[in-house]
Amino acid sequence: MAFEFETKPKFATFDMNGTLIKFAINDLMRDVLGERLPAEVADEYLRICKAYRIDECTGAYKPFHQIVNDSMERASRKVGIEFRADEAREVYDRIPSFGPYPGVTAALNRLAEAVPLVIITNSDTAVAEQLAANLKAPFEVMITAEQMGMYKPRLGAFEYMFEKLGVTPDEIVHVSASPMYDHRPAAIMGIENKVYVDRGFEHDEYWLGYERITDISDLPVLFGLPRPDAS
């Protein structure tokens, strides 16, 4: 299993939150809201809050702390619990504590031997820098929603990335655990080399034409690198 590149890609570009970083925001909201989030509405609250975050990301740009605030406010109203802005701020302020999924740091450092690494993330710059530091891997460039003035899945986010990196769609490999936020727009924008890291929280949309992996250690192999234990 490996890509057959006509020419070596100039960059491997990565979604960060949910792909590399275990973005456990549902667990965080359960913890912060505590007993104020009744068991009978908790699952619906978390489901609709995620949907509202996506909806907020497709509108006019606002900082990510405002995305968290507004999505939690809308979800609270939907399920009939009191919204508290200080709780939304606590959720946002604790996001930088999230760490990588198992195996991510080793896989990224291995892959960096073959191709420069880039992050394109739906995070504010300060938070993105803290999360990227948690990955302990060498990234050449980090592109944030704050810099772009928009969020994925907006097509303009990928246009910004192409211009920032000075590349065409065929010169990168894009890696993400989200067909919704990343692989759909990436396919529309002409990125043929895509890797779906199946983390189990979205459905496989194989028709988008990506390579699907469930073990991050398989990522360097796609670029033709031998496994570290290979003789």
Side-chain angles (χ1 to χ4, degrees), residues 21 28 93-99 130-131 134:
I21 291 288
L28 197 50
D93 287 344
R94 288 171 58 180
I95 287 174
S97 68
F98 294 157
Q130 294 174 78
L131 290 171
N134 296 345

Side-chain angles (χ1 to χ4, degrees), residues 100-154:
Y101 283 100
V104 162
T105 296
L108 290 175
N109 280 279
R110 180 72 171 144
L111 184 59
E113 298 172 12
V115 62
L117 311 182
V118 173
I119 286 172
I120 175 170
T121 179
N122 280 2
S123 293
D124 298 332
T125 301
V127 170
E129 289 173 347
Q130 294 174 78
L131 290 171
N134 296 345
L135 293 171
K136 295 181 171 57
F139 287 92
E140 299 286 329
V141 180
M142 182 167 60
I143 300 169
T144 70
E146 183 178 352
Q147 294 166 354
M148 296 186 291
M150 68 186 75
Y151 293 88
K152 298 175 295 177
R154 296 286 303 274

Side-chain angles (χ1 to χ4, degrees), residues 24 46 49 59 68 78 91-92 97 105 112 124 136 155 168-169 189 197 210 212-213 230:
L46 296 172
C49 196
V68 172
K78 180 74 171 176
V91 168
Y92 173 80
S97 68
T105 296
D124 298 332
K136 295 181 171 57
L155 298 182
T168 55
M189 297 305 295
V197 184
Y210 45 59
R212 174 183 171 271
I213 61 175

